[in-house]
């Protein structure tokens, strides 16, 4: 969020900023499916970015698209709806209807074929393909989405309420900035947090296999990626400013909710993994969430935990639709926005789940690792594997800030963190904490993994563990001279 100064001012400072916003799964397609359906991946069944993993498949189109919150807004609340940008990674795949398929719920549809691009892409404009080339003034995708959004706001009906979803691929790879921003942030480096370039010695085997210290080429790669990501975000910042100004000029700003968020986090060097998402750590599962709108007081911050499965229920609630009629797993946080929620009764925990992807054959560049891994860097640090399949309970409560995760592998590997005193997740407590606490966490995880609808929203069972880890634990106070703990 650092380079997004206009966005922070026009949405965050004009409304509320959530410091504990999380995704249900740290990968594009499952996460976007959770936003649209208000459901956890085990209920919408999108498990990865492939067609076989149900990403924009014909099964998704038949079973889930009719129940997305935009479909409900359009059919039952009379909204005119507009979508522009990246939908689901396999959207437009010929095996799932191609770009002719327009998902249910959208009056105006501008969907990017397949995954993130900035130039040389195809858009589905209401089911008709429109190819774009490499000319900045006509084809840079963030700006094209901006202009189409402004056109919608200008020409939509004034007699029906509207919902607009603008989904920029930025700052996704290939990180192509607009020409006017390509020289910005020349000296910027990825943050050297305490878990940067540190060996994850007590973590899942996929984290343990990362080479520490990282090679110079990996560090140069992740620093350059970090710079490019910030550069691409400057165009997103311009988009936000133009949309807010257009609403203001039209006299619609005061009665419009504006929500800014993302589909997953990203790590750059944490635990010596060069760059990706898909891991259970805070870098990957946390996202920004800023909201302004009617009855939301400016300059607010809240630490109450919300998740992307809550966005659909909240938006339906804003539109006056009875959320209890849906099968969504999330809960409306409209009362949080309006300041009427009782924080002591707010949900304290939620589920994060991910199903790892791997290859059935060995990567020829990394034969020693054997089959089952994927997304491998040149020095054979792999970011994913079949058994990088996990589920976590994340607890955010006044007396506990915890994470409990189990892997679906031969070890049934467990990771437990006390985020209060160990925010960078340096110490896995699984082998040292009270067995009774572990059993309670395990029980809660099993309940959440099998939940559906209302049962996903019941308050969790947690005990303030006393103490899981003391703030003066030697592992939390590394020597300041250590290179991997130097902070920018």
């Amino acid at each position: 969020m650092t380079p997004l100064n206009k966005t922070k001012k026009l949405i965050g400072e004009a409304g509320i900023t959530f410091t504990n916003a999380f995704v249900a799964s740290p990968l594009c397609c499952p996460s976007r499916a959770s936003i649209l359906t208000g459901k956890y991946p085990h209920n919408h069944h999108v498990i990865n970015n492939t067609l076989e993993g149900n990403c924009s498949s014909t099964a998704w189109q038949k079973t889930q698209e009719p129940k997305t919150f935009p479909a409900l807004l359009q059919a039952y609340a009379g909204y005119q709806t507009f979508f522009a940008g990246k939908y689901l990674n396999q959207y437009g795949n010929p095996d799932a209807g191609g770009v002719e398929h327009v998902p249910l719920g959208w009056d105006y549809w501008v969907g990017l074929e397949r995954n993130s691009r900035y130039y040389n892409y195809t858009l589905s404009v209401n089911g008709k393909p429109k190819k774009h080339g490499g000319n900045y003034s006509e084809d840079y995708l963030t700006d094209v989405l901006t202009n189409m959004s402004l056109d919608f706001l200008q020409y939509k009906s004034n007699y029906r309420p509207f919902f607009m979803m603008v989904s920029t691929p930025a700052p996704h790879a290939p990180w192509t900035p607009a020409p006017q921003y390509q020289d910005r942030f020349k000296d910027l480096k990825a943050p050297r947090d305490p878990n940067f370039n540190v060996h994850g010695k007590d973590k899942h085997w996929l984290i343990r296999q990362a080479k520490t210290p990282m090679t110079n080429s990996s560090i140069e790669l992740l620093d350059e990626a970090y710079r490019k990501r910030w550069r691409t975000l400057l165009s997103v910042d311009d988009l936000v400013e133009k949309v807010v100004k257009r609403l203001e000029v039209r006299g619609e700003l005061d009665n419009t909710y504006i929500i800014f968020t993302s589909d997953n986090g990203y790590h750059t060097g944490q635990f010596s993994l060069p760059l990706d998402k898909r891991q259970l750590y805070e870098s990957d599962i946390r996202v920004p969430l800023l909201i302004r709108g009617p009855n939301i007081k400016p300059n607010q911050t809240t630490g109450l935990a919300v998740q992307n499965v809550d966005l659909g229920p909240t938006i339906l609630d804003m539109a006056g639709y009875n959320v209890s009629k849906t099968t969504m797993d999330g809960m409306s946080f409209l009362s949080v926005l309006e300041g009427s929620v009782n924080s002591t009764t707010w949900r304290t925990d939620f589920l994060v789940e991910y199903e790892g992807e791997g290859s059935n054959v060995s990567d020829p560049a990394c034969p020693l690792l054997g089959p089952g891994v994927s997304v491998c860097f040149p020095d054979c640090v792999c970011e994913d594997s079949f058994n990088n399949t996990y589920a976590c309970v994340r607890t955010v409560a006044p007396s506990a800030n915890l994470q409990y995760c189990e892997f679906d592998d031969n070890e049934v590997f467990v990771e437990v963190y006390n985020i209060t005193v160990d925010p960078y997740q340096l110490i896995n407590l699984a082998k040292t904490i009270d067995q009774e606490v572990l059993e309670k966490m395990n029980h809660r995880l099993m309940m959440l993994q099998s939940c559906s609808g209302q049962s996903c929203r019941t308050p969790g069972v947690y005990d303030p563990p006393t103490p899981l880890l003391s703030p003066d634990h030697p592992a939390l106070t590394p020597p300041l001279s250590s290179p991997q703990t130097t902070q920018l």
Side-chain angles (χ1 to χ4, degrees), residues 194-483:
N195 55 8
F196 180 86
N197 206 3
V198 167
H199 186 244
K201 60 184 185 301
D202 55 359
K203 293 174 169 40
H204 189 239
W205 78 270
L206 187 67
I207 310 299
R208 296 199 303 268
Q209 59 86 36
K211 289 183 172 58
T212 307
M214 285 186 283
T215 59
N216 285 341
S217 59
S218 282
I219 292 177
E220 285 167 15
L221 173 77
L222 68 87
D223 279 338
E224 180 61 17
Y226 200 85
R227 285 189 282 276
K228 286 179 175 175
R229 285 163 64 82
W230 272 27
R231 289 167 186 154
T232 67
L233 283 171
L234 293 175
S235 295
V236 177
D237 212 28
D238 292 341
L239 182 161
V240 170
E241 180 184 45
K242 287 175 180 171
V243 166
V244 171
K245 284 197 167 162
R246 177 61 55 89
L247 288 167
E248 188 172 31
V249 166
R250 291 181 54 82
E252 296 176 324
L253 185 57
D254 290 343
N255 66 350
T256 303
Y257 290 102
I258 307 176
I259 301 168
F260 183 91
T261 190
S262 181
D263 55 353
N264 51 255
Y266 206 69
H267 58 256
T268 43
Q270 281 72 29
F271 305 116
S272 301
L273 294 177
L275 43 92
D276 197 49
K277 46 251 182 171
R278 306 170 213 259
Q279 308 305 336
L280 56 86
Y281 306 108
E282 297 283 282
S283 55
D284 295 23
I285 65 173
R286 278 182 176 271
V287 287
L289 178 60
L290 289 65
I291 307 179
R292 69 172 289 169
N295 301 319
I296 302 177
K297 295 192 175 100
N299 289 308
Q300 287 189 83
T301 303
T302 179
L304 293 181
V306 296
Q307 206 175 14
N308 60 355
V309 293
D310 302 328
L311 291 169
T314 303
I315 292 166
L316 288 172
D317 199 6
M318 290 168 171
Y321 183 82
N322 185 349
V323 183
S324 63
K325 287 185 187 172
T326 73
T327 54
M328 293 181 174
D329 302 332
M331 55 197 287
S332 168
F333 55 80
L334 183 58
S335 58
V336 177
L337 301 176
E338 295 176 342
S340 59
V341 72
N342 181 348
S343 59
T344 58
T345 60
W346 187 249
R347 173 193 54 201
T348 56
D349 58 2
F350 52 83
L351 179 69
V352 177
E353 52 190 351
Y354 177 67
E355 192 156 325
E357 288 181 74
S359 171
N360 288 317
V361 294
S362 295
D363 185 326
C366 309
L368 292 176
L369 291 171
V373 294
S374 65
V375 199
C376 296
F377 280 80
D379 44 2
C380 291
V381 176
C382 299
E383 293 277 3
D384 207 4
S385 66
F386 282 131
N387 67 358
N388 183 39
T389 295
Y390 57 81
C392 306
V393 182
R394 185 70 176 81
T395 300
V396 179
S399 52
N401 191 0
L402 309 171
Q403 185 180 29
Y404 172 89
C405 302
E406 285 181 15
F407 283 84
D408 185 10
D409 61 7
N410 294 336
E411 297 177 88
V412 193
F413 195 80
V414 175
E415 297 190 28
V416 182
Y417 299 98
N418 181 353
I419 310 291
T420 305
V421 295
D422 182 19
Y424 294 100
Q425 296 166 294
L426 297 167
I427 302 167
N428 178 7
L429 302 169
K431 291 188 169 66
T432 57
I433 64 171
D434 190 276
Q435 192 63 29
E436 188 184 347
V437 175
L438 276 179
E439 286 170 7
K440 282 189 173 177
M441 290 173 161
N442 166 267
H443 176 67
R444 180 61 181 152
L445 180 60
M446 286 195 297
M447 287 175 66
L448 280 170
Q449 281 185 282
S450 59
C451 78
S452 178
Q454 178 60 40
S455 61
C456 299
R457 305 192 288 270
T458 54
V461 179
Y462 70 92
D463 264 10
T466 51
L468 280 186
L469 192 62
S470 66
D472 56 357
H473 191 289
L476 292 177
T477 51
L480 290 175
S481 59
S482 171

